[in-house]
Amino acid sequence: MSTKEEQILVRISGQDRPGLTASIMSILAKYDAKVLDIGQADIHSTLTLGILIRMDEMHSGQVMKDLLFKATELGVNIGFSPITDEEYEQWVGQQGKHRYILTIIGRSLSARQIEAATKVIASQGLNIDSILRLTGRPSLLHPERNVRACIEFSLRGTPADRAAMQADLMRLASDMEFDFSFQRDDMFRRMRRLICFDMDSTLIQTECIDELAIRAGVGDEVKVITESAMRGEIDFKESFTRRVALLKGLDVSVMQDIADHLPVTEGVDRLMTVLKRCGYKIAILSGGFTFFGEQLQRRYGIDYMYANELEVDDNGKLTGRYVGEIVDGHRKAELLKLIAQVEKVNLAQTIAVGDGANDLPMISQAGLGIAFHAKPRVVATAKQSINTIGLDGVLYFLGFKDSYIDS
């Protein structure tokens, strides 16, 4: 005669300590219980552990009794809930649903910000499976500079209206000063391999052409053209040609002085260290100039660098012309695809980060496109954006935890 089996959900909470899980499992092993599901969260040394077991009904009472005694010995709380076959099958049926990851980032995150984001999730019919803090615990007595907070939500279901959800999250992010990323949780998200950066106002906190223009005495004229181009109001090639022409006669030594004092964006050192350590291929795809891109390439060991080259005459002066093909938005998207082919990387495994309208083609083409402290048009178009913290915020969109990053 076959033994009838049943499911029991075991819930344990209390002060965490080494060996607690092993103690619980030794009792379950004694009665040959099958573990159908298990999950644990640990907050401020207080754990919540859930174990769904299946075992024969003859021993279930004794198992619960033994677990109750062990919980008393360990000083933790324990509870039991029977789970019917129908309830279990319904739960199994949920596993086939789509999975997504919502990441929210800010200098700090309040209950008000989290409430707003989770209300949007709930209104779309998505269920939160788990919540993970990616950033370390901040010190109250010794606060750090450039502090940041990041929480990752693992979601299950299909959004009722993904475009509306994206718009709602974008509005909240702007109004409440946090950043977000909503991604499909598939194998490509966990296997990104190529990341392409814009340079000016992304890797560095300046526009090199504006710096050159200031030295040439045409700063205001060039800045107006630059800003119009970045907003997408005029064609990049036209604006680039007009701006370069205004630099005619500038001594090339000025370029070296600017290159020696490039203001690197917050988080770049940390980001590059982790990306190189983890084997990412890194590219600069810039509408700026090779002279400055090469400086960053040498500093960080960047694998690919494409930008524009200024023509210099025999006297070491800029001619007001450029050499070769302009790296504009269309060219950036082409280069991203070309590098991906060379590296044998699926486009879904690529990342593109930029701030201007000429970055939109590569941001749209990449598997993960990120607008960084970007112009309004770019933020409105990109599905992910970072506006509140440094460039190392990209690591959280990739799922890295501080404990991995800083180890």
Side-chain angles (χ1 to χ4, degrees), residues 51-124:
I51 310 169
L52 180 60
I53 61 172
R54 180 174 174 84
M55 60 181 304
D56 66 83
E57 288 183 337
M58 289 176 57
H59 295 128
S60 60
Q62 188 60 46
V63 166
M64 288 188 281
K65 180 180 176 182
D66 289 357
L67 287 173
L68 193 56
F69 278 122
K70 179 57 70 173
T72 302
E73 178 187 323
L74 295 171
V76 295
N77 301 313
I78 192 165
F80 308 98
S81 299
I83 304 296
T84 66
D85 290 357
E86 291 74 18
E87 289 171 327
Y88 176 75
E89 289 303 321
Q90 185 179 14
W91 175 81
V92 169
Q94 295 289 315
Q95 307 312 299
K97 290 194 174 182
H98 293 149
R99 296 184 64 91
Y100 296 90
I101 295 291
L102 173 67
T103 310
I104 60 173
I105 310 174
R107 289 294 179 188
S108 62
L109 290 174
S110 67
R112 187 165 160 266
Q113 290 166 313
I114 296 170
E115 176 208 24
T118 52
K119 274 187 173 179
V120 172
I121 294 169
S123 71
Q124 290 290 328

Side-chain angles (χ1 to χ4, degrees), residues 113-390:
Q113 290 166 313
I114 296 170
E115 176 208 24
T118 52
K119 274 187 173 179
V120 172
I121 294 169
S123 71
Q124 290 290 328
L126 294 167
N127 187 63
I128 300 173
D129 275 358
S130 65
I131 303 173
L132 184 65
R133 186 194 70 256
L134 299 185
T135 44
R137 300 179 179 92
S139 171
L140 300 177
L141 300 179
H142 307 286
E144 300 175 16
R145 290 184 58 205
N146 300 329
V147 69
R148 48 206 173 281
C150 178
I151 297 173
E152 181 182 277
F153 299 88
S154 177
L155 311 174
R156 192 184 302 279
T158 301
D161 186 336
R162 183 163 178 175
M165 183 187 70
Q166 186 82 18
D168 288 344
L169 287 170
M170 190 177 296
R171 176 181 52 79
L172 290 175
S174 176
D175 293 347
M176 304 181 76
E177 297 185 347
F178 67 85
D179 302 321
F180 78 92
S181 166
F182 184 79
Q183 304 176 57
R184 183 78 175 266
D185 190 13
D186 55 23
M187 68 175 186
F188 294 118
R189 177 183 174 266
R190 301 169 188 277
M191 298 173 63
R192 309 286 188 198
R193 281 292 167 263
L194 168 65
I195 183 164
C196 299
F197 294 99
D198 175 45
M199 179 172 65
D200 296 30
S201 296
T202 300
L203 289 175
I204 56 175
Q205 293 179 301
T206 189
E207 294 285 333
C208 289
I209 197 165
D210 291 347
E211 296 292 330
L212 291 170
I214 291 169
R215 306 294 182 95
V218 292
D220 290 343
E221 296 170 66
V222 166
K223 189 173 183 180
V224 168
I225 301 172
T226 299
E227 290 178 348
S228 182
M230 290 299 98
R231 290 193 298 266
E233 295 168 354
I234 57 176
D235 175 72
F236 181 82
K237 286 187 177 180
E238 177 196 343
S239 71
F240 182 80
T241 304
R242 285 167 54 189
R243 287 178 290 171
V244 168
L246 291 169
L247 302 177
K248 183 177 180 180
L250 187 66
D251 196 282
V252 75
S253 63
V254 171
M255 296 177 71
Q256 186 60 55
D257 183 58
I258 293 172
D260 290 340
H261 300 91
L262 289 177
V264 175
T265 300
E266 175 197 337
V268 168
D269 289 350
R270 185 174 187 244
L271 172 62
M272 291 298 178
T273 298
V274 174
L275 292 175
K276 294 299 289 185
R277 191 168 71 207
C278 294
Y280 281 76
K281 293 296 180 180
I282 307 170
I284 292 175
L285 306 181
S286 173
F289 304 116
T290 55
F291 191 92
F292 305 106
E294 287 168 355
Q295 185 95 348
L296 292 172
Q297 185 176 26
R298 288 190 294 270
R299 177 170 176 174
Y300 295 111
I302 289 170
D303 302 284
Y304 298 89
M305 198 285 298
Y306 293 91
N308 301 298
E309 186 173 353
L310 292 171
E311 186 179 73
V312 181
D313 66 20
D314 294 339
N315 298 314
K317 305 284 187 182
L318 299 184
T319 66
R321 296 186 295 271
Y322 57 88
V323 178
E325 184 180 357
I326 292 177
V327 178
D328 61 359
H330 177 69
R331 181 63 176 152
K332 287 186 180 188
E334 283 185 339
L335 288 166
L336 182 146
K337 288 188 284 188
L338 178 63
I339 297 170
Q341 288 174 1
V342 169
E343 293 294 340
K344 296 180 174 55
V345 170
N346 190 299
L347 265 182
Q349 295 175 274
T350 64
I351 309 155
V353 187
D355 74 297
N358 64 321
D359 296 312
L360 278 174
M362 73 170 182
I363 286 174
S364 301
Q365 193 75 238
L368 179 66
I370 303 171
F372 179 74
H373 289 263
K375 312 302 182 286
R377 178 187 166 193
V378 183
V379 173
T381 305
K383 292 181 179 178
Q384 281 78 218
S385 64
I386 297 175
N387 297 299
T388 64
I389 67 171

